[in-house]
Amino acid sequence: MPRKSALSKGLAVAFAVLTVCAIGGMISMMIIFEVQTSNLTMTELPTVPSTTLPPPPVMRLPRSLIPESYDIKLHTYLYSRIVEEVNVTTPNQTLLFTGNSTVLFHCHEQTKHIFLHSLGLNVSSPLVINRDTGDPIQAVSHKHHEDESDFLEIELKDKLNKGGNYSLFLAFEGEISEYLEGMYVSKYTETNFKDVNGTMQETIEERFLVATNLEPTSARRIFPCFDEPDMKAVFQLTVTHRRDTTALSNTKEQTSDILDDDWKYTRFDPTPKMSSYLLAFTVSEFEATNSPANRVTIKTYARPKATAAGHTKYAAKITAKILEFYEGHFDLQYGLKELDQIALPDLDPLAMENWGLITYQEGALLYEEGVSSWLHKEVITSIIAHELAHQWFGNQVTMKWWNEIWLNEGFATYMSYLAVDHAEPSFQIKEKFIMDDLHTAFEEDALLTSHPLSTPSNEVQTTGEILGMFDAISYSKGAMVLRMLANHVGEDVFDDAIRAYLKTHSGGNVEQGDLWKFMENARYGKSIYTVPNFMKNWTTQIGYPVITINTMSGEIYQKHFLYNSSAVSSLMWLIPITFTTNTSEPDFVWLDVKGPVRKEEFISKSGDWILANVNCTGYYRVNYNLENWQRLLTQLETNPHRIPLMNRGQLIDDAFNLARAKQVDVALALNSTRFLRKERAYLPWESAVRNLEYFVLMFDRSEVYGPMQLYLRHQVEELYNFFKNQTDSSTVPEDHSLQHNQITAIEVACSSGLPDCMEMATAKFNDWMKSNSTNNIHTNLRSVIYCQAVAAGGKKEWEFAWEKFQNSTDTSEKDQLRKALSCTKKTWLLNRYLAYTLEPDKIRLMDVTSTINLIAQNAAGQALAWNFMRAHWDYLSQGDAASLIVGVTSRFSTEFELQELRRFMEDTEIHSAYRAMFQAIEQTQVNIQWVKENREKVLEWFERETAHLE
């Protein structure tokens, strides 16, 4: 989601404010940490400097005044292009904007003070009118609060009366941001040809556009407003802009007129009643592709060259299919007559669901035939499905406050599984998406520094705390908990409840309890547990359970799963357990106590294995007695298809993570990978590779690395050979799952040193270098082959890739090359690449965090990335600071690194990334202990498994 930014003008002032914000944020985070871990006995906690601070400011607007509508007029002075002409003074680019707004509001409680939000704006000329009498009310003063509240306070001479209706006019001016927040500038280039002395010469010309990104708290950067999600109102926007540009906003154009030789204005229809963070507009030279005829007019905008080349066609087609699916599935129409979506050169996050004008990064919306990977359609479809789901979950029905953002993001994630499956049934990737989110949530939620889905609202107050809620818990755990609920109550009941919930609360704000009421009312038969009782601990507690089953005695118990094995937790959950055996059909039982309790169903009959959490419908891990583990692993090695595909992947994931938490021996986890030599399905391989990546991070600087690479090379050889003919001929399978696994095979084979793979990648890349223009590498395979060839090569290969990256105008190709450039083993090249991330003309700000994290994943680049991040934190933290901290520190596993991390936290203004910093410290502590206890065992296992291969 949107990240913190600052205006280019007055940067020093912005950082002074951020310093105050950071100190207040640290204290808030410590309070949250104590509350969330009150039921836990923990090892050493991260420390923070002791600081004497004044009481924190009140962060929420009073409810004395409630807005009804805004009339906003904005004038952007930005040039979309600067043309140099002979004997004409070339104008300077300007980032100024001016405007005024009139907000109509109702007084619910007598007051002489108007509080609303304003940030970075020069506000003037307040005028208050009593709409009931027409009389003006004098404003005595207006001031900005110099704290994290961003309050603009207007003091009046006379009181506003309860029940009265008033209006407030304000004039303001501000500066368009260069840091992707609020109203910001984005730059791109267009290649053209012009006649120079009778010869057509290629020219590269800069273009500029204005876009907005307001979630969660940046509407206040554009105009003074009641910038809280339950302060819904109607917005009518008028934008004055240069004549050669087009303005888009949430609603369709109402009127547009030319003012003079330079300017025109565009006025838009009033929006539905909505939250301020959903307001959006763009001013650009972009052109549209129309979707197939539909009840809703859908247009997809992009750079003119991209539109002309057909790069928007796939998105235009698939958007119409997904929107039609949602209208039928929810039995509720999309709330507007038009839907625009636009592919922006710069945007952080990946996409934003603004009602009626959805914004996307170019790579999330554009598909380029012959350049984009075939699998990129999965990415585009899933992102569009997520954003369109928000048109109901978030736009029509909105959470009351940011502490329950999961009601927006969890639903959008979950609904996207259904929409993609409907729109592109041939992809057959629903299971992949589910497992990706399950494992993402599991990873983050196994730390003490996690947070509940529904966090107490008083713990989510500042912008930094709000941004901290946009994480894997709200998105991925939210989706997994909804999937568990749908499986428990039945999908028909779940869908009926959702339809009633949306219709009843359309236009309003909700809390999670509102959802539970509809779920309970929709159930045909009542369970022994109501939906609110069942769901309470899943959403109000951190973490998730691991259930342990002894199939010899039938004994079962639950425990809070934590990587920190020394932590003691009293948390428990109501757990719906599905289970099966190799001789019986799936069945179901509740676990409603911590246990241990004895259940007849879990006693193995005649040596059968027992498998719990069938198809991973529950948000919990499963551990077994050693005998049952051995039976399951034997089944995987002899006839894996007897075990459901999702569970084949999950058995590996559970085994590895239980080993990380010291609940099973690490040898058992490693044993779960033996069957992969004969496995062809993607999910088990993905699970193994992802979990072994942790071993690589922990041991690639030690003696374990050699035998581990030898083992991986041996295990992947048959899979690589399975795809070898297709890979060598640059073709791919039809099945999407196999396409994914072909990439996995190449990645593991080349990175573990399989000679055939390394020769293939090097040869294909060299062929491209020789031809310089003809690239015969299949688009699916380019990313992995580019990376492996750059890793195996040197300066020549890296500089060829860099030149191609610089010169390419294809978004997909640039992204694949950007990733490949991080793969080199040459530290001096990685240092050069890191330096380029400080230059927006080379690496866009939205790509800086992911680029540095990619370099940090490279063993040759990890220390470089850590030092670079610390040296340039002020600039780098303008991007996704939280992800940067987690990514760069993922290898940390020594006491020295832990002390450096703590020192960095103490000496640096972390801004909105405090939760990520605490997570990084906790994960480093876990890593140190785990490596200390398991290094010898892991080395011994790999040496034993590869002894015959030497």
Side-chain angles (χ1 to χ4, degrees):
M1 303 310 295
R3 300 294 176 185
K4 168 182 56 57
S5 76
L7 297 173
S8 59
K9 187 177 179 181
L11 197 59
V13 176
F15 276 110
V17 173
L18 286 169
T19 300
V20 176
C21 297
I23 295 170
M26 177 178 287
I27 300 302
S28 300
M29 277 301 304
M30 290 303 296
I31 293 168
I32 294 169
F33 193 79
E34 288 184 24
V35 170
Q36 291 181 355
T37 58
S38 58
N39 289 323
L40 306 172
T41 304
M42 296 164 29
T43 52
E44 179 187 1
L45 289 171
T47 58
V48 296
S50 58
T51 310
T52 302
L53 292 170
V58 174
M59 299 301 302
R60 298 289 298 277
L61 290 172
R63 264 42 188 175
S64 51
L65 307 175
I66 302 298
E68 296 170 354
S69 67
Y70 297 83
D71 191 343
I72 307 158
K73 295 180 174 63
L74 293 171
H75 190 155
T76 64
Y77 295 85
L78 187 88
Y79 290 91
S80 63
R81 60 175 74 186
I82 297 177
V83 180
E84 296 183 4
E85 298 181 53
V86 179
N87 298 325
V88 177
T89 302
T90 302
N92 294 321
Q93 185 60 280
T94 175
L95 298 179
L96 175 71
F97 72 88
T98 59
N100 63 72
S101 64
T102 301
V103 56
L104 309 185
F105 58 87
H106 183 76
C107 182
H108 284 251
E109 192 176 302
Q110 190 179 71
T111 181
K112 287 180 66 175
H113 297 265
I114 299 174
F115 288 89
L116 61 167
H117 291 107
S118 176
L119 179 60
L121 299 174
N122 183 12
V123 179
S124 61
S125 308
L127 175 62
V128 179
I129 301 290
N130 184 327
R131 290 189 287 140
D132 298 325
T133 65
D135 297 329
I137 300 172
Q138 183 181 346
V140 177
S141 66
H142 67 279
K143 66 177 182 179
H144 285 92
H145 286 212
E146 298 299 322
D147 56 34
E148 295 174 273
S149 68
D150 300 334
F151 284 169
L152 171 65
E153 180 183 357
I154 301 169
E155 184 179 359
L156 305 175
K157 181 179 180 182
D158 301 313
K159 290 182 178 179
L160 304 180
N161 295 317
K162 182 178 181 179
N165 298 294
Y166 301 89
S167 67
L168 169 64
F169 170 91
L170 290 167
F172 51 87
E173 64 178 36
E175 191 171 337
I176 298 171
S177 171
E178 297 177 88
Y179 295 97
L180 310 185
E181 196 162 52
M183 186 194 313
Y184 68 92
V185 60
S186 177
K187 184 170 69 173
Y188 62 100
T189 58
E190 290 278 10
T191 303
N192 289 301
F193 293 88
K194 67 179 181 181
D195 192 332
V196 179
N197 299 325
T199 304
M200 297 302 291
Q201 292 187 2
E202 183 179 274
T203 62
I204 298 176
E205 300 171 2
E206 286 188 332
R207 300 285 186 268
F208 302 87
L209 64 89
V210 172
T212 60
N213 190 36
L214 306 188
E215 188 178 24
T217 59
S218 286
R220 65 192 69 173
R221 294 177 181 268
I222 297 181
F223 65 105
C225 56
F226 298 85
D227 198 11
E228 296 189 3
D230 66 339
M231 294 280 206
K232 288 190 170 184
V234 173
F235 299 81
Q236 185 157 27
L237 178 65
T238 303
V239 180
T240 302
H241 52 102
R242 297 196 181 271
R243 279 184 59 176
D244 55 358
T245 59
T246 299
L248 302 173
S249 189
N250 304 78
T251 49
K252 70 178 182 178
E253 178 184 300
Q254 188 180 82
T255 58
S256 183
D257 250 325
I258 294 171
L259 297 173
D260 56 32
D261 289 346
D262 295 320
W263 303 103
K264 70 177 179 181
Y265 78 88
T266 304
R267 185 165 176 79
F268 298 94
D269 281 344
T271 69
K273 188 178 179 182
M274 68 183 195
S275 302
S276 53
Y277 75 86
L278 292 170
L279 186 69
F281 72 91
T282 62
V283 177
S284 72
E285 297 183 16
F286 282 15
E287 295 177 359
T289 299
N290 294 324
S291 291
N294 195 288
R295 187 189 67 80
V296 178
T297 301
I298 302 171
K299 294 181 179 180
T300 302
Y301 287 82
R303 290 175 286 109
K305 292 273 175 95
T307 299
H311 298 166
T312 53
K313 285 183 178 178
Y314 180 73
K317 180 189 76 170
I318 210 68
T319 299
K321 293 176 71 172
I322 293 172
L323 190 69
E324 185 179 7
F325 166 76
Y326 279 145
E327 287 194 324
H329 191 73
F330 301 142
D331 192 28
L332 182 66
Q333 288 187 345
Y334 166 71
L336 297 169
K337 294 179 181 178
E338 292 193 352
L339 170 63
D340 291 338
Q341 46 190 11
I342 185 167
L344 297 171
D346 296 286
L347 179 67
D348 185 17
L350 202 58
M352 177 58 207
E353 66 267 17
N354 316 296
W355 203 347
L357 178 58
I358 305 175
T359 52
Y360 298 83
Q361 290 182 12
E362 286 186 330
L365 199 66
L366 303 183
Y367 184 82
E368 303 156 43
E369 291 289 348
V371 177
S372 298
S373 162
W374 290 5
L375 297 174
H376 193 57
K377 288 184 177 179
E378 296 177 2
V379 175
I380 292 171
T381 305
S382 65
I383 294 170
I384 290 174
H386 183 100
E387 302 311 318
L388 289 183
H390 274 309
Q391 306 305 299
W392 285 265
F393 296 98
N395 298 8
Q396 292 198 44
V397 179
T398 315
M399 76 283 145
K400 283 188 178 177
W401 184 241
W402 301 106
N403 64 310
E404 292 189 331
I405 187 61
W406 82 272
L407 291 172
N408 286 18
E409 300 300 347
F411 262 114
T413 303
Y414 176 75
M415 290 300 168
S416 69
Y417 307 149
L418 312 182
V420 173
D421 209 37
H422 170 84
E424 290 285 17
S426 65
F427 287 0
Q428 296 183 334
I429 51 166
K430 182 178 176 182
E431 292 176 342
K432 176 190 178 299
F433 285 162
I434 289 169
M435 296 303 280
D436 285 347
D437 279 313
L438 178 65
H439 296 145
T440 300
F442 272 169
E443 180 90 8
E444 191 161 318
D445 213 16
L447 297 172
L448 291 167
T449 40
S450 181
H451 66 84
L453 280 172
S454 179
T455 302
S457 60
N458 65 324
E459 296 175 8
V460 184
Q461 296 287 303
T462 68
T463 292
E465 290 164 354
I466 292 166
L467 286 169
M469 296 297 290
F470 288 84
D471 62 3
I473 302 301
S474 296
Y475 286 72
S476 300
K477 179 179 179 177
M480 292 301 98
V481 168
L482 289 171
R483 179 171 177 259
M484 179 171 64
L485 176 60
N487 184 74
H488 175 62
V489 300
E491 290 187 2
D492 289 343
V493 170
F494 184 87
D495 292 342
D496 288 343
I498 291 306
R499 293 178 190 120
Y501 164 81
L502 288 173
K503 290 172 185 175
T504 300
H505 291 291
S506 182
N509 294 84
V510 294
E511 297 173 307
Q512 66 172 15
D514 299 313
L515 176 63
W516 305 151
K517 290 173 187 174
F518 284 93
M519 285 291 166
E520 183 63 23
N521 291 339
R523 299 176 78 175
Y524 307 132
K526 301 304 178 186
S527 169
I528 56 173
Y529 298 110
T530 65
V531 169
N533 286 342
F534 169 38
M535 296 305 295
K536 179 182 177 183
N537 288 357
W538 294 103
T539 60
T540 61
Q541 297 180 160
I542 65 168
Y544 57 92
V546 53
I547 63 168
T548 299
I549 301 171
N550 187 323
T551 61
M552 308 297 284
S553 64
E555 187 176 271
I556 179 173
Y557 62 90
Q558 63 168 288
K559 179 183 179 182
H560 184 183
F561 181 83
L562 291 163
Y563 288 137
N564 185 343
S565 59
S566 62
V568 179
S569 170
S570 61
L571 301 184
M572 67 162 285
W573 292 260
L574 283 174
I575 309 176
I577 302 175
T578 54
F579 65 96
T580 189
T581 76
N582 51 327
T583 58
S584 66
E585 294 298 313
D587 206 345
F588 169 85
V589 296
W590 281 104
L591 182 60
D592 52 5
V593 295
K594 283 181 70 71
V597 293
R598 189 172 179 276
K599 291 186 179 289
E600 186 70 25
E601 299 95 325
F602 293 127
I603 298 176
S604 174
K605 311 294 192 299
S606 305
D608 287 355
W609 49 255
I610 293 177
L611 177 76
N613 200 10
V614 179
N615 289 321
C616 309
T617 54
Y619 185 67
Y620 55 89
R621 294 194 182 278
V622 186
N623 194 5
Y624 305 97
N625 57 306
L626 185 58
E627 292 83 358
N628 197 66
W629 271 115
Q630 289 171 340
R631 289 168 185 157
L632 288 167
L633 297 186
T634 299
Q635 184 69 70
L636 288 175
E637 292 189 48
T638 55
N639 185 9
H641 298 281
R642 292 289 300 276
I643 294 175
L645 176 60
M646 295 174 84
N647 287 104
R648 300 211 299 273
Q650 192 55 37
L651 281 168
I652 296 172
D653 193 72
D654 280 344
F656 272 90
N657 283 277
L658 288 165
R660 282 177 66 178
K662 295 190 283 190
Q663 296 189 36
V664 301
D665 191 86
V666 69
L668 187 148
L670 292 167
N671 288 344
S672 72
T673 65
R674 285 173 171 160
F675 83 100
L676 291 175
R677 188 162 172 81
K678 303 294 183 183
E679 179 65 84
R680 300 292 175 264
Y682 172 69
L683 289 181
W685 266 103
E686 186 281 330
S687 185
V689 170
R690 177 173 36 78
N691 279 289
L692 284 167
E693 178 62 24
Y694 178 74
F695 283 61
V696 172
L697 292 175
M698 294 301 100
F699 297 127
D700 65 359
R701 296 170 286 178
S702 76
E703 71 276 20
V704 176
Y705 191 62
M708 179 164 60
Q709 290 294 85
L710 182 58
Y711 176 75
L712 287 172
R713 193 156 64 241
H714 177 65
Q715 289 298 93
V716 79
E717 188 171 12
E718 287 194 26
L719 184 69
Y720 180 80
N721 289 335
F722 178 76
F723 295 110
K724 189 176 188 306
N725 289 339
Q726 290 174 313
T727 301
D728 289 348
S729 60
S730 280
T731 59
V732 300
E734 289 292 322
D735 180 82
H736 273 237
S737 179
L738 288 177
Q739 288 178 35
H740 281 288
N741 224 22
Q742 182 183 22
I743 295 168
T744 298
I746 296 170
E747 184 175 12
V748 176
C750 282
S751 61
S752 64
L754 188 69
D756 280 358
C757 184
M758 297 174 70
E759 290 168 13
M760 175 276 300
T762 301
K764 288 185 180 298
F765 196 79
N766 283 339
D767 287 345
W768 183 29
M769 290 176 66
K770 287 174 186 175
S771 70
N772 198 33
S773 57
T774 305
N775 187 345
N776 292 318
I777 304 170
H778 192 282
T779 55
N780 268 28
L781 308 180
R782 286 183 183 178
S783 184
V784 65
I785 288 176
Y786 290 175
C787 176
Q788 299 303 330
V790 169
K795 177 184 177 183
K796 181 176 67 173
E797 288 77 11
W798 195 91
E799 291 191 335
F800 175 81
W802 176 251
E803 180 189 0
K804 290 295 183 183
F805 172 80
Q806 286 283 84
N807 295 331
S808 176
T809 58
D810 295 321
T811 303
S812 183
E813 180 75 349
K814 283 182 78 75
D815 194 49
Q816 293 175 124
L817 287 163
R818 183 174 62 85
K819 293 173 183 174
L821 288 162
S822 70
C823 299
T824 180
K825 304 302 181 186
K826 310 296 183 186
T827 55
W828 65 276
L829 288 171
L830 291 173
N831 264 325
R832 184 202 292 185
Y833 197 24
L834 283 167
Y836 289 166
T837 65
L838 300 177
E839 302 178 50
D841 287 342
K842 289 185 168 70
I843 304 293
R844 293 181 182 273
L845 179 59
M846 69 179 187
D847 293 327
V848 165
T849 293
S850 60
T851 301
I852 295 173
N853 282 347
L854 285 165
I855 294 169
Q857 291 299 303
N858 183 339
Q862 190 273 324
L864 304 178
W866 169 236
N867 292 332
F868 184 82
M869 183 188 80
R870 289 182 293 175
H872 302 284
W873 178 253
D874 285 349
Y875 176 73
L876 301 179
S877 62
Q878 300 299 314
D880 189 348
S883 295
L884 187 62
I885 287 171
V886 172
V888 169
T889 62
S890 61
R891 258 192 178 82
F892 281 15
S893 57
T894 67
E895 288 291 344
F896 175 74
E897 288 166 331
L898 177 62
Q899 294 311 313
E900 282 203 320
L901 186 55
R902 283 179 165 151
R903 192 175 303 115
F904 176 65
M905 185 181 76
E906 292 166 3
D907 297 344
T908 310
E909 304 300 342
I910 304 298
H911 310 321
S912 62
Y914 271 98
R915 189 185 298 278
M917 179 59 76
F918 285 123
Q919 288 175 336
I921 289 173
E922 182 185 354
Q923 186 62 64
T924 301
Q925 291 172 318
V926 170
N927 292 347
I928 291 168
Q929 191 65 28
W930 190 84
V931 168
K932 188 184 299 181
E933 294 178 3
N934 288 282
R935 182 196 299 265
E936 292 304 318
K937 292 180 184 178
V938 171
L939 177 61
E940 180 184 334
W941 191 92
F942 280 120
E943 286 181 336
R944 184 175 64 250
E945 291 293 311
T946 57
H948 66 290
L949 303 175
E950 296 290 352

